[in-house]
């Protein structure tokens, strides 16, 4: 393990000053261009219908209206909005506009007009006749015999079994679970259900487009995946990739929902057809009705162990609701198992089965945790039930079973993201220390089972443990380029997408560390398809590990070039040269400054640009690990649950910037607490979302946040940049199972449906089911 | 109608439709540090100081501020660059995506003007209407308390 200077310090974010002073750095802050057209959308009011006729003439006649787009005048290519790499694992089941609408909020038409007001008024003037079809408004309805077929079109690609609404299907196994369970002495079988939830980035989706001075299409978008946007939009609107430039400026949070290529196609089409700049911005209601959600799921977990508490057989079955389109249907489904089952690697018999189904409800997409969140609810509450069954302390049961350094799991190879996975052996795991630290903090030994009361409140403590991953092995790719300037500063250029996480900063820190310079000497530019190298973008916890490794490689390459020049200047062997404090030289003896090195290479002898371009395609996805401990209190009269204390101890390898790493976990945990206790999209009997504003869809405010302690337990991941693993998702998985287990500790009830609202808890307390 | 007001110390005069919200009017004037997270009074990203009081700009009509003085974060930083509260939030790691930051800064600024030495509970009460989806609020609380300390220190020293 090396000693670091810039890595491991709480550097201020490189974009912090601009953000704190309110500079115009977000898409919506860009001053309107001459002739800007504003887009408004007409959404379907019906969950399932065929458009019989659509008359846009009154809308087109309205003053200020430039263009009306419908399924009659837009490309008919089938694609997926999922925003993934190529080849895309999500089915091609969507069009820009379709003659069939499949959920309330589906696109029917778009109007481009001189003002937002005119565009909205014109939408109201569009006359649409629908042939209404029977809707499918739940997972059970989707799976029922004779259910209406939601995707009956004949040109959709890669749908597993459209005739029974099944989008995707995934199985994986090791050993033989039937044999395994027969040999077990303790068996539990749990089925849990999770709700519809939305990401709620505080900045809504927004994209603006224009033609530049060379008539190329420029798309400025609040996206997590600028390079995928370029590739996908090129195909959908039939403009070559080289005629498109995508820029991601600062964006106001994403959490997965901005991986979706959700809106860019429309302003792009408008600009291509009219030659005028265009902008489309969702409002908050559209984020709920017409963006993406977390896939609601039913997950069944059966666990079997021998008397000694060592798991012997695990079976997981998953039914996922992907809504009207199959974006991320297959990959989120696979991750329910692939990011959870390897955690308990002692069981030789493991089976995973999952299917995702279409419904006429909003569309599921990528959401921080990506299936693991849903999987851990069932798995980690099943672990507590098994502990009770066997009479073993819940913490002790986990200690006996979790994966450790040097160990593997057959599931790594059997189950990946939408296909087989990649074999891997764990090379860093401090989960035991995480458990020690967290259990001390919460005082597990004293509080577990105590059921301390104050008034009507009963206290309980709960635990859950987790792993996630660091990118998608053999699929993800990140690249970085680095060049040296006259003053010994460097331009670091990366395709990686900072969505507020601080990735520009930590990638800069990695470069600074490798080059022996302070962070301010690294000028970071990211996410511009014309100016920066490729990167898949910000998803799957890939940036620190994958893009970070690309940066490290480029930086070490540049460091070697600097050492060569310095060695010539100092007449020493290049192997002896080290880079520290903006100087190059052997540890003892003379050194030269990086300014001197830069001057010599730019203006002196052997003139050339010191610089490098490097890529990383990871072979592994080393998991970060987390142990969460929570104390709750439950009001036994009303069923209200309050989190009293929460601690998350996390192993993310080297924390490149500890403060930013903590911030990732804090944000994820609080998002997870919201998901556990309060957040839920509610629909009426006609498939209409009733929770379309932040008054009705409550996300945690500062008053909802309990005392929360995040402890970074350092390890060193030998395959990661400077020993780092990724950390942005894992924290969101913990609150649901840890809180459910704590509620059981307090009251003896097992909750199997989220969120744990007062009503649901009250019903369970009073014997009305969960 | 024509309205006149002070924006971060400069006199502004603009023509607005009667139904225009203060948020739309300010962003239309280029004051884009004021953010729009919901347009409905639910998120606090559009907070500005109206005659020193933090208000949701999306809930006011532009016409209502005729003759008033409005402060945004764009006017917070002095000659030296950053206001102590801005640097405190940055040093505490309270800024992730930064979209909620202007609203939080202005709301916290109002708090510290009225209560220079708040405790954690008071910080939570003051910021109860400012949603942040990124940080989990832990570092926002730390940042505001750090800002209070620094402002108190600066005053003590002068
Ligand atoms: S935009 Fe004004 S409170 Fe949300
Ligand atoms: S920092 Fe992103 S919403 Fe607060």
């Amino acid at each position: 393990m090396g000693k670091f200077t810039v890595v491991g310090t709480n550097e201020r974010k490189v974009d912090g000053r601009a953000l704190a002073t309110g500079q115009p750095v977000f898409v919506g802050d860009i001053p309107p261009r001459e002739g800007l057209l504003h887009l408004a959308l007409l959404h379907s009011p019906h969950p399932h219908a065929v458009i019989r006729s659509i008359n846009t003439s009154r809308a087109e006649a309205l003053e200020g209206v430039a263009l009306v787009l419908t399924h009659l005048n837009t490309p008919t290519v089938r694609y997926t909005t999922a925003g993934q790499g190529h080849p895309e694992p999500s089915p091609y089941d969507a069009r820009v506009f379709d003659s069939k609408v499949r959920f309330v909020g589906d696109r029917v038409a778009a109007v481009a007009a001189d003002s937002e007001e005119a565009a909205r008024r014109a939408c109201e003037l569009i006359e649409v006749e629908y042939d209404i079809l029977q809707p499918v408004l739940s997972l059970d309805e989707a799976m029922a015999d004779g259910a209406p077929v939601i995707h009956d079109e004949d040109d959709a690609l890669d749908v597993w079994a459209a005739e029974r609404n099944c989008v995707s299907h995934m199985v994986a196994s090791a050993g033989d679970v039937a044999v395994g369970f027969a040999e077990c002495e303790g068996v539990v079988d749990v089925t849990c259900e999770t709700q519809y939830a939305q990401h709620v980035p505080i900045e809504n989706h927004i994209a603006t487009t224009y033609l530049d001075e060379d008539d190329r299409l420029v798309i400025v978008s609040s996206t997590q995946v600028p390079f995928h946007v370029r590739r996908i939009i090129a195909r959908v609107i039939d403009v070559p990739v080289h005629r498109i430039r995508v820029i991601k400026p600062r964006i106001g949070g994403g959490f997965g929902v901005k991986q979706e290529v959700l809106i860019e196609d429309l302003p792009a089409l408008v600009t291509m057809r009219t030659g005028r700049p265009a902008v489309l911005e969702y409002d908050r209601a559209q984020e709920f009705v017409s963006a993406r959600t977390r896939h609601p799921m039913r997950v069944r977990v059966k666990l079997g162990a021998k008397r000694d508490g060592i798991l012997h057989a695990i079976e997981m079955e998953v039914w996922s609701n992907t809504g009207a389109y199959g974006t991320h249907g297959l990959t989120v489904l696979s991750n329910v198992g692939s990011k959870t089952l390897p955690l308990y690697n002692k069981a030789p018999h493991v089976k995973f089965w999952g299917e995702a189904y279409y419904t006429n409800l909003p569309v599921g997409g990528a959401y921080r945790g990506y299936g693991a969140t849903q999987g851990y609810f069932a798995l980690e509450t099943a672990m507590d039930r098994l502990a009770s069954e066997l009479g073993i302390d819940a913490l002790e049961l986990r200690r006996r079973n979790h994966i450790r350094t040097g160990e593997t799991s057959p599931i790594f190879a059997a189950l990946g993201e939408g296909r087989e996975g990649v074999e891997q052996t764990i090379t860093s795991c401090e989960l035991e220390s995480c458990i020690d630290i967290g259990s001390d903090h919460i005082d597990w030994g004293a509080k577990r089972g105590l059921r301390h009361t104050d008034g009507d409140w009963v206290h309980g403590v709960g635990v859950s443990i987790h792993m996630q991953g660091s990118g998608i092995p053999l699929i993800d790719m990140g690249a970085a380029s680095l060049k040296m300037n006259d003053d010994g500063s460097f331009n670091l250029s990366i395709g990686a997408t900072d969505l507020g996480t601080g990735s520009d900063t930590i990638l800069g820190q990695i470069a600074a560390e490798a080059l022996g310079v302070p962070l301010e000497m690294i000028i970071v530019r990211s996410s511009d398809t014309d100016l920066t190298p490729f990167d898949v973008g910000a998803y799957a916890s890939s940036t620190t590990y994958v893009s970070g490794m690309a940066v490290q490689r480029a930086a070490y390459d540049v460091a070697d070039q600097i050492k060569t020049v310095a060695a010539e200047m100092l007449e020493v062997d290049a192997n002896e040269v080290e880079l520290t404090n903006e100087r190059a030289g052997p540890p003892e003896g003379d050194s030269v400054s990086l300014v001197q090195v830069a001057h010599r290479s730019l203006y002196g002898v052997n003139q050339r640009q010191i610089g490098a371009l490097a890529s990383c395609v990871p072979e592994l996805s080393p998991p970060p690990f987390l142990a969460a401990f929570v104390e709750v209190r439950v009001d036994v009269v009303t069923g209200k649950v309050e989190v009293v204390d929460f601690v998350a101890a996390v192993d993310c390898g080297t924390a490149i910037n500890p403060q930013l790493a903590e911030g990732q976990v804090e944000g994820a945990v609080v998002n997870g607490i919201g998901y556990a206790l309060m957040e839920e999209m509610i629909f009426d009997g006609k498939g209409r979302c009733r929770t379309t504003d932040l008054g009705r869809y409550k996300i945690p405010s500062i008053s909802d946040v309990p005392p929360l302690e995040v402890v970074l337990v350092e390890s060193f991941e030998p395959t990661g940049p400077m020993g780092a693993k990724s950390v942005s998702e894992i924290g969101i998985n913990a609150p649901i199972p840890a809180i459910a287990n704590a509620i059981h500790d307090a009251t003896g009830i097992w909750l199997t449906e989220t969120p744990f609202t007062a009503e649901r808890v009250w019903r369970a307390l009073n014997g009305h089911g969960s | 109608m024509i309205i006149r007001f002070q924006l971060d110390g400069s006199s502004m005069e603009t023509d607005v439709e009667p139904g225009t919200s203060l948020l739309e009017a300010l962003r239309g004037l280029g004051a884009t540090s004021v953010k729009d997270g919901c347009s409905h009074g639910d998120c606090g990203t559009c907070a500005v100081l109206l005659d020193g009081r933090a208000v949701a700009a999306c809930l006011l009509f532009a016409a209502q501020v005729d003759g008033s003085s409005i402060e945004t974060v764009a006017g917070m930083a002095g000659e030296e660059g950053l206001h102590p509260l801005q640097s405190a939030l940055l040093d505490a790691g309270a800024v992730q995506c930064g979209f909620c930051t202007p609203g939080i800064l202005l709301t916290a600024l109002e708090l510290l003007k009225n209560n220079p030495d708040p405790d954690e509970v008071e910080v939570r009460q003051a910021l109860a209407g400012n949603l942040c989806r990124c940080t989990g609020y832990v570092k926002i609380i730390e940042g505001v308390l750090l800002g209070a300390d620094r402002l108190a220190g600066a005053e003590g020293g002068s």
Side-chain angles (χ1 to χ4, degrees):
Chain A
M1 192 180 309
K3 261 258 118 297
F4 299 127
T5 313
V6 186
V7 160
T9 64
N10 295 332
E11 295 279 358
R12 264 192 198 175
K13 286 184 63 180
V14 293
D15 51 352
R17 186 186 189 86
L19 293 170
T21 54
Q23 300 301 309
V25 292
F26 295 96
V27 181
D29 302 341
I30 299 170
R33 295 182 164 250
E34 191 59 40
L36 180 70
L37 290 170
H38 298 262
L39 272 72
L41 293 181
L42 178 65
H43 296 294
S44 170
H46 305 294
H48 199 190
V50 169
I51 297 174
R52 190 186 331 140
S53 72
I54 185 160
N55 182 350
T56 57
S57 52
R58 285 176 63 211
E60 277 156 1
L62 190 75
E63 194 183 323
V65 171
L67 186 63
V68 180
L69 298 172
T70 69
H71 71 277
L72 298 172
N73 63 355
T74 46
T76 54
V77 54
R78 291 249 172 233
Y79 74 114
T80 174
T81 57
Q84 295 165 301
H86 183 80
E88 292 162 297
S90 296
Y92 284 6
D93 58 3
R95 282 180 174 166
V96 174
F97 292 98
D98 209 342
S99 54
K100 188 178 187 189
V101 288
R102 298 180 179 85
F103 70 106
V104 175
D106 209 348
R107 288 174 174 186
V108 175
V111 175
D114 290 340
S115 71
E116 224 177 302
E117 172 72 22
R120 267 202 231 110
R121 279 220 317 278
C123 278
E124 288 164 16
L125 297 175
I126 298 173
E127 293 150 23
V128 191
E129 286 184 307
Y130 297 95
D131 288 327
I132 293 181
L133 303 172
Q134 189 191 333
V136 174
L137 297 177
S138 70
L139 205 45
D140 289 319
E141 287 177 37
M143 296 188 290
D145 282 342
V149 177
I150 295 169
H151 281 271
D152 52 355
E153 68 273 16
D154 53 17
D155 58 345
L157 275 184
D158 294 333
V159 179
W160 178 260
E163 69 287 354
R164 59 178 182 94
N165 291 319
C166 179
V167 185
S168 40
H169 169 94
M170 181 53 81
V171 286
S173 67
D176 182 334
V177 284
V179 172
F181 282 115
E183 292 166 353
C184 289
E185 284 142 321
V187 174
V188 295
D189 198 329
V190 182
T191 301
C192 291
E193 301 228 11
T194 52
Q195 78 275 35
Y196 257 105
Q198 222 274 330
H199 312 63
V200 193
I202 301 299
E203 175 203 41
N204 297 329
H205 283 84
I206 177 167
T208 182
T209 51
Y210 57 89
L211 296 176
D212 71 8
E213 54 284 4
D214 300 317
D215 238 17
R216 290 172 73 234
L217 176 67
V218 181
I219 302 173
V220 187
S221 178
S222 65
T223 177
Q224 294 175 222
V225 290
F227 286 88
H228 294 343
V229 168
R230 184 178 65 170
R231 187 192 82 243
I232 291 164
I233 294 298
R235 175 172 168 266
V236 170
I237 68 168
D238 197 22
V239 170
V241 163
H242 73 270
R243 301 294 299 164
I244 302 177
R245 173 181 182 187
V246 180
I247 299 168
K248 183 235 53 141
R250 297 295 97 192
I251 71 173
F255 317 108
V257 78
K258 290 176 182 168
Q259 181 178 351
E260 212 72 19
V261 184
L262 188 69
I263 60 170
E264 292 90 345
D265 55 327
L266 294 177
L269 274 171
V270 168
T271 293
M272 292 309 292
R273 293 208 181 159
T274 62
R276 291 170 65 179
V279 64
L280 174 56
E281 180 173 11
Y282 265 16
D283 62 23
R284 184 54 65 188
Q286 285 174 304
E287 290 291 324
F288 289 106
V289 173
S290 195
R292 297 293 178 253
T293 68
R294 187 188 290 285
H295 291 81
M297 288 188 193
R298 179 178 303 152
V299 179
R300 172 178 168 258
V301 166
K302 185 175 175 186
L303 296 179
K306 298 287 184 74
R307 178 82 14 235
D308 61 4
I310 304 295
L311 287 171
H312 192 61
I314 308 178
E315 185 175 1
M316 180 181 265
E317 290 185 307
V318 183
W319 297 265
S320 171
N321 173 358
T322 187
Y325 297 94
T327 67
H328 298 270
L330 175 65
T331 40
V332 166
L333 176 70
S334 326
N335 262 30
V336 179
S338 69
K339 293 285 183 277
T340 58
L341 297 171
L343 182 64
Y344 295 123
N345 66 328
K346 306 295 177 286
H349 307 288
V350 188
K351 184 176 165 200
F352 175 87
W353 177 95
E355 287 195 337
Y357 296 88
Y358 289 123
T359 60
N360 293 117
L361 288 169
V363 184
Y367 192 153
R368 195 178 213 176
Y370 206 76
T373 316
Q374 293 93 319
Y376 275 117
F377 179 20
L379 181 64
E380 281 297 276
T381 53
M383 282 298 279
D384 264 40
R385 294 195 197 210
L386 184 65
S388 311
E389 175 88 13
L390 294 169
I392 299 175
D393 174 63
L395 202 51
E396 178 56 28
L397 185 71
R398 288 176 173 83
R399 288 189 196 270
R400 288 184 201 173
N401 284 288
H402 73 71
I403 198 165
R404 285 157 197 263
T405 308
E407 296 180 356
T408 185
S409 156
I411 295 300
F412 283 131
L415 186 58
E417 283 217 9
R419 58 181 201 181
E420 285 185 351
V422 171
E423 206 176 297
Q424 71 174 347
T425 298
I426 299 298
T427 38
S428 60
C429 176
E430 286 299 327
L431 188 50
E432 259 318 274
S433 317
C434 294
I435 293 174
D436 290 341
I437 291 167
S439 56
D440 276 359
H441 177 106
I442 210 86
D443 205 3
W444 179 266
K447 287 186 179 163
R448 178 73 167 184
L450 187 67
R451 294 201 180 167
H452 155 72
T453 57
D454 60 279
D456 292 333
W457 297 96
V458 189
H459 288 241
V461 293
V463 62
S464 65
I465 63 173
H466 306 274
M467 55 169 271
Q468 192 87 25
S470 299
I472 314 171
L474 303 182
I475 292 180
D476 278 348
M477 178 189 152
S481 80
L482 193 63
K483 71 176 173 67
M484 189 181 200
N485 299 316
D486 331 32
D487 64 344
S489 68
F490 300 85
N491 293 103
L492 172 64
S493 165
I494 41 187
T497 313
D498 189 336
L499 51 151
T501 51
S503 66
D504 282 354
T505 306
I506 65 112
L507 295 173
Q509 285 180 262
I510 291 170
E513 184 69 46
L515 294 163
V517 300
L519 179 59
E520 76 234 29
M521 297 306 274
I522 308 288
I523 305 149
V524 185
R525 280 287 165 267
S526 59
S527 318
D528 178 330
T529 59
D530 267 12
L531 303 180
T532 65
F534 179 85
D535 193 289
V536 291
Y539 57 84
S541 289
S542 57
T543 306
T544 300
Y545 184 72
V546 181
S547 314
M549 186 50 90
V551 169
Q552 177 172 297
R553 283 179 188 159
Y556 281 149
D557 186 341
V558 167
D560 284 344
Q561 296 172 35
I562 294 170
K563 288 175 187 174
T564 305
V565 176
E568 284 165 22
M569 295 166 78
L570 294 163
E571 298 182 354
V572 296
D573 191 313
N575 290 325
E576 292 171 44
V577 178
E578 288 178 9
L579 304 183
T580 46
N581 292 326
E582 303 181 71
R583 299 189 70 81
E588 316 285 327
D590 290 347
S591 63
V592 287
S593 73
L594 294 195
V595 179
Q596 290 170 296
V597 171
H599 268 259
R600 179 175 164 108
S601 62
L602 290 173
Y603 308 112
V605 187
N606 277 337
Q607 278 164 273
R608 64 190 191 93
Q609 170 70 59
I610 291 180
L613 172 65
S615 309
C616 172
V617 178
E619 288 172 13
L620 303 167
S621 178
F625 294 95
L626 184 147
F629 290 81
V630 61
E631 178 173 350
V632 302
R633 57 178 199 164
V634 183
D635 182 330
V636 289
V637 176
T638 64
K640 187 172 166 48
V641 176
E642 278 181 13
V643 175
V644 176
D645 197 7
F646 200 111
V647 57
V650 54
D651 159 15
C652 62
T654 302
I656 305 286
N657 182 316
Q659 194 177 58
L660 292 176
E662 282 165 20
Q664 283 303 301
V665 181
E666 288 160 2
V669 164
V670 169
N671 192 166
I673 291 175
Y675 192 45
L677 296 181
M678 59 210 281
E679 296 181 33
E680 181 169 24
M681 290 170 69
I682 294 172
F683 302 92
D684 68 10
K686 296 192 167 124
R688 288 177 298 209
C689 181
R690 283 316 191 199
T691 44
T692 54
D693 58 54
L694 297 170
R696 283 174 289 183
Y697 185 94
K698 290 272 185 207
I699 67 168
S701 76
I702 204 167
S703 350
D704 297 309
V705 175
L708 166 59
E709 175 98 12
V710 169
V711 184
L712 300 178
V713 180
E714 289 229 346
S715 67
F716 189 88
E717 172 51 46
T719 68
M722 309 280 163
K725 301 185 273 191
S726 294
V727 72
S728 59
E729 293 185 88
I730 189 166
I732 203 166
N733 303 327
I736 292 179
I739 290 172
N741 289 338
I743 293 172
H744 180 263
D745 186 49
T747 64
I749 58 168
W750 290 117
L751 293 168
T752 55
E753 258 179 75
T754 48
F756 311 138
T757 56
E759 185 190 338
R760 190 163 278 140
V761 174
W762 183 88
R763 291 176 71 84
L765 284 168
N766 291 281
H768 300 293
S770 110
Chain B
M1 61 180 291
I2 305 283
I3 57 166
R4 291 181 193 80
F5 59 97
Q6 296 284 310
L7 177 61
D8 295 320
S10 306
S11 302
M12 305 298 282
E13 185 177 303
T14 184
D15 194 358
V16 294
E17 299 286 318
T20 307
S21 74
L22 176 60
L23 175 58
E24 289 169 272
L26 287 173
R27 287 189 62 85
L29 285 168
T32 52
S33 70
V34 189
K35 303 298 179 206
D36 181 358
C38 74
S39 317
H40 268 89
D42 291 324
C43 74
T45 57
C46 64
V48 295
L49 296 182
L50 173 64
D51 296 327
R53 264 187 324 116
V55 294
C58 68
L59 291 182
L60 291 174
F61 292 119
Q64 290 171 275
V65 307
D66 192 25
S68 314
S69 147
I70 289 176
E71 291 162 73
T72 73
V73 287
M76 254 178 96
E79 291 289 298
E80 334 71 60
L82 289 174
H83 185 278
L85 191 55
Q86 288 171 318
S87 12
L89 285 203
L90 289 174
D91 288 338
V95 179
Q96 283 193 27
C97 79
F99 201 79
C100 67
T101 306
I104 289 193
L105 279 167
L106 292 165
T107 312
L109 197 62
E110 183 199 26
L111 166 73
L112 298 185
K113 275 195 188 132
N114 299 330
N115 177 2
D117 185 23
D119 60 20
E120 184 183 325
V121 175
E122 289 163 331
V123 172
R124 284 179 184 250
Q125 277 163 357
L127 293 176
N130 293 81
L131 295 179
C132 171
R133 192 58 149 174
C134 299
T135 62
Y137 303 102
V138 178
K139 296 192 181 339
I140 291 178
I141 296 169
E142 286 170 16
V144 174
L145 293 174
L146 179 65
D149 280 355
R150 286 190 183 166
L151 282 164
E155 252 148 55
S158 64

